[in-house]
Amino acid sequence: TAINNKLKSVGKRLDSISEDAESLDTVDKFLKKKVTSEGNKYFSASVLGSASNASYAINVTQIAQAQINVSDGISDKTTEGLLTDGTLQVTVGTEDPVSFTVDSTTTLNSLARSINSELAGAEAAVIYDGTNYRLRIVAEDTNTAVSFDDGTTNLNLSASANQLKDPQSAALTIDGLAITSDKNEVAGAIPGVTLTLTEPHSASSDTSNLTVATDTDSTVSTVQNFVNHFNSVAGFINLESAYKGYASLGTSLAGDSMLRNIQSQMGYVITTPVDGLSGDYTLLKDVGLEMTQTGTLKFTSSTMVEALQDDVSAVADLFIENTDNSTEGIFAKFQTMVEDYTGTEGSLTERIKGVGEEISDIGDQIVRMEDRVEKYEENLRKQFTRLEVTVSNLTSQGDQLLAMMGSMNRK
């Protein structure tokens, strides 16, 4: 059991390396970027790791908005008979028009519920303006037109005075280039960056600067976490491979060939150049990761920072698989290696299963032996009981003979 538990611990530690590699297997996940825009209230920004480092001058001309219409005022929202009979027709964007029947039983509240139930792309509500109640309809999407045909009803939603906001697209310039968007979330105008517009600049000449840069601290932290998990495996193997004396032979992995193979393959992946790469960054030691004599990793973060500042793409190719140049990064290699050991049919998985079966077989043998001991004990008890009966009978017979002899002597 002790051996099996130690093998399972090795497997869990290997899986931690693989999980790190899997969670960082794209440029966006591995190369963290950050955006800064000091003193800016006109937009916010999010960035992917694939974004290029650069600065941009942005002017927000207008914000996208949704169309809003209200009806004429109605004295009550729950009283029937206040709406004129007819058919209200609503068309959202390029969708087919949807019709709503208004009769003597229709109230503002019931009409709003019908619209919300049957009309896609707009939302209805009843509001109070301080004197009367009004039906308010808002398009769900910005820059989407909603048209109304009031028919013979007295709603008057189509009146220009009752259109409180027109549908409007967002407009901005990036380094002077004019860009429009149906939404206030603008993705793709800057590759890898999504802008969320919040307020227009007061003048077209005003700009806010946005800077995209590599978040070296985050990338270094990511690599450090990988190193920690690597060293967890290497340190555990070193500990369990050490000879601890004759008394520990039954529970020790000292000299275990599988542990030696794992340690050897881990070192090979770390120290071997990535096929297909050239230039200054083809080995992990080029970015600050070096094997020690004990098989653990030493990470010099300052070397990693310098490499990221020098050639961020080349550093990424060391770790991440690049299908454009058909190179396999370190993370993909570790995932393959770990799968060979801890996968469903991995050698470590099979060994743990085999040890478990041996333990189970030994347990079954113990149970069978205990059954035999119990049966043997039961037989001994039966024999002892029979002997007690025999001895008791013999004692009784002896007492009778003595009594008879005593009687004969008195005569």
Side-chain angles (χ1 to χ4, degrees):
T1 302
I3 293 292
N4 221 27
N5 288 339
K6 291 177 180 180
L7 292 174
K8 289 179 180 178
S9 182
V10 172
K12 288 180 180 178
R13 293 165 194 264
L14 283 172
D15 284 337
S16 293
I17 296 179
S18 181
E19 288 166 5
D20 279 347
E22 186 176 359
S23 67
L24 300 167
D25 59 0
T26 65
V27 172
D28 288 339
K29 296 176 184 176
F30 176 70
L31 281 183
K32 306 296 184 182
K33 294 295 180 77
K34 59 184 177 180
V35 288
T36 55
S37 184
E38 295 182 5
N40 162 49
K41 63 178 180 178
Y42 308 101
F43 58 85
S44 60
S46 60
V47 63
L48 298 176
S50 55
S52 299
N53 292 348
S55 293
Y56 306 89
I58 299 174
N59 171 269
V60 180
T61 309
Q62 69 180 26
I63 301 297
Q65 66 183 23
Q67 180 177 329
I68 301 176
N69 290 71
V70 295
S71 70
D72 283 348
I74 306 297
S75 61
D76 191 71
K77 61 181 178 179
T78 59
T79 301
E80 298 177 354
L82 297 179
L83 301 180
T84 304
D85 291 358
T87 300
L88 170 66
Q89 197 172 76
V90 185
T91 304
V92 178
T94 58
E95 299 296 322
D96 292 334
V98 179
S99 298
F100 301 91
T101 299
V102 178
D103 57 28
S104 60
T105 64
T106 306
T107 68
L108 273 185
N109 275 355
S110 67
L111 181 57
R113 286 194 298 269
S114 296
I115 292 172
N116 289 332
S117 174
E118 300 174 32
L119 181 66
E123 184 175 343
V126 176
I127 61 172
Y128 183 61
D129 64 10
T131 303
N132 292 304
Y133 294 90
R134 296 172 180 263
L135 182 66
R136 180 178 185 266
I137 297 181
V138 182
E140 290 182 357
D141 294 327
T142 54
N143 200 33
T144 298
V146 182
S147 61
F148 302 91
D149 183 348
D150 295 292
T152 58
T153 71
N154 58 342
L155 293 166
N156 210 20
L157 283 159
S158 59
S160 58
N162 284 344
Q163 185 159 311
L164 305 185
K165 282 189 177 181
D166 296 331
Q168 178 174 286
S169 63
L172 67 156
T173 63
I174 300 178
D175 292 337
L177 177 65
I179 294 168
T180 60
S181 170
D182 286 335
K183 300 180 178 180
N184 286 317
E185 283 192 358
V186 182
I190 301 173
V193 176
T194 298
L195 300 173
T196 301
L197 310 184
T198 54
E199 182 180 329
H201 284 82
S202 57
S204 60
S205 58
D206 294 341
T207 59
S208 297
N209 290 325
L210 175 72
T211 301
V212 179
T214 302
D215 189 350
T216 54
D217 290 342
S218 180
T219 302
V220 166
S221 177
T222 294
V223 174
Q224 182 64 63
N225 193 54
F226 168 78
V227 170
N228 292 343
H229 285 140
F230 182 99
N231 288 341
S232 174
V233 178
F236 188 80
I237 289 176
N238 288 339
L239 177 66
E240 295 303 326
S241 297
Y243 179 67
K244 301 180 181 66
Y246 180 79
S248 65
L249 289 180
T251 59
S252 173
L253 289 172
D256 188 89
S257 60
M258 182 173 286
L259 292 192
R260 289 199 303 271
N261 288 338
I262 292 173
Q263 195 168 39
S264 175
Q265 289 189 41
M266 288 172 62
Y268 178 80
V269 173
I270 291 295
T271 57
T272 304
V274 175
D275 292 337
L277 294 185
S278 59
D280 295 332
Y281 305 107
T282 62
L283 289 162
L284 286 183
K285 70 179 183 64
D286 298 331
V287 294
L289 284 85
E290 294 186 79
M291 292 288 293
T292 67
Q293 291 183 345
T294 61
T296 58
L297 266 180
K298 177 186 176 184
F299 179 38
T300 305
S301 60
S302 58
T303 304
M304 170 68 76
V305 171
E306 291 173 3
L308 288 169
Q309 293 172 343
D310 178 51
D311 193 341
V312 67
S313 296
V315 174
D317 286 344
L318 260 178
F319 292 90
I320 307 299
E321 183 178 8
N322 189 331
T323 55
D324 292 337
N325 58 18
S326 301
T327 58
E328 183 184 34
I330 296 299
F331 286 157
K333 289 185 176 183
F334 265 107
Q335 284 180 272
T336 301
M337 188 208 86
V338 173
E339 179 67 19
D340 289 341
Y341 282 102
T342 67
T344 305
E345 298 180 356
S347 55
L348 181 58
T349 301
E350 291 296 326
R351 182 174 174 188
I352 291 171
K353 189 188 302 180
V355 173
E357 290 172 353
E358 289 178 8
I359 293 172
S360 179
D361 289 342
I362 293 172
D364 291 341
Q365 292 176 25
I366 292 172
V367 170
R368 290 194 295 271
M369 186 172 291
E370 287 176 341
D371 288 341
R372 288 198 297 270
V373 169
E374 287 178 0
K375 290 178 181 178
Y376 182 68
E377 181 182 3
E378 184 179 354
N379 288 334
L380 288 177
R381 290 182 183 278
K382 289 179 179 179
Q383 291 178 24
F384 183 76
T385 300
R386 287 196 296 269
L387 285 173
E388 280 188 320
V389 171
T390 300
V391 169
S392 177
N393 290 338
L394 290 174
T395 301
S396 177
Q397 292 175 11
D399 291 341
Q400 291 176 5
L401 287 173
L402 289 173
M404 291 173 61
M405 291 176 64
S407 177
M408 291 175 62
N409 290 334
R410 286 194 297 270
K411 292 179 179 180

